[in-house]
């Protein structure tokens, strides 16, 4: 399996989880603008810090399993994980908050969040 295939499976799973979590969250969905800004920041941070770590020899990738596209020294495939996290985690957070609010509302307790 190449890094691209692994990244595609990882991103696909994150998108599926995000869609399901968004359906659970209902009206309290995560902000698309917030997710976009988070993706942009994480891509820049990944490019900078992965380039530094690769340059210092902390890790390397087998060139035979890469597309060959790099941002700095970081291969394109390396960006799948922070992007997946930025897509999935806000949706899961919104779903958990919506579920908590509905549970609190049904028991009559006051929401302190």
């Amino acid at each position: 399996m190449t890094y691209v295939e692994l990244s595609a499976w990882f991103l696909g799973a994150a998108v599926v989880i995000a869609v399901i979590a968004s359906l659970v969250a209902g009206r309290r969905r995560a902000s698309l603008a917030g997710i976009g800004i988070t993706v942009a920041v994480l891509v820049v941070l990944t490019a900078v810090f992965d380039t530094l770590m690769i340059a210092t020899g902390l890790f390397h990738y087998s060139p035979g399993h890469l597309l060959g596209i790099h941002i700095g020294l970081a291969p394109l495939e390396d960006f799948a994980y922070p992007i997946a996290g930025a897509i999935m985690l806000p949706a899961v957070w919104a779903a958990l908050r919506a579920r908590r609010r509905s549970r609190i509302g049904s028991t009559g307790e006051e929401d302190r969040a």
Side-chain angles (χ1 to χ4, degrees):
M1 180 177 287
T2 66
Y3 294 122
V4 173
E5 293 168 330
L6 182 62
S7 297
W9 279 104
F10 195 79
L11 277 170
V15 169
V16 168
I17 292 169
V19 168
I20 292 168
S22 292
L23 293 173
V24 169
R27 293 189 344 234
R28 298 192 182 274
R29 290 186 180 149
S31 162
L32 289 179
I35 292 171
I37 292 168
T38 302
V39 167
V41 169
L42 288 176
V43 165
V44 169
L45 290 173
T46 299
V48 170
F49 288 105
D50 280 14
T51 294
L52 290 172
M53 289 186 287
I54 291 168
T56 59
L58 288 176
F59 62 90
H60 70 280
Y61 292 94
S62 171
H65 296 285
L66 295 173
L67 282 176
I69 301 169
H70 291 78
I71 299 174
L73 294 177
L76 185 63
E77 295 86 345
D78 213 17
F79 293 88
Y81 309 106
I83 291 170
I87 291 169
M88 182 181 67
L89 293 177
V92 170
W93 183 265
L96 291 173
R97 287 189 66 189
R99 185 174 173 205
R100 179 174 181 253
R101 287 182 193 268
S102 70
R103 207 182 286 165
I104 288 172
S106 67
T107 61
E109 293 178 14
E110 182 178 319
D111 183 13
R112 298 174 196 248

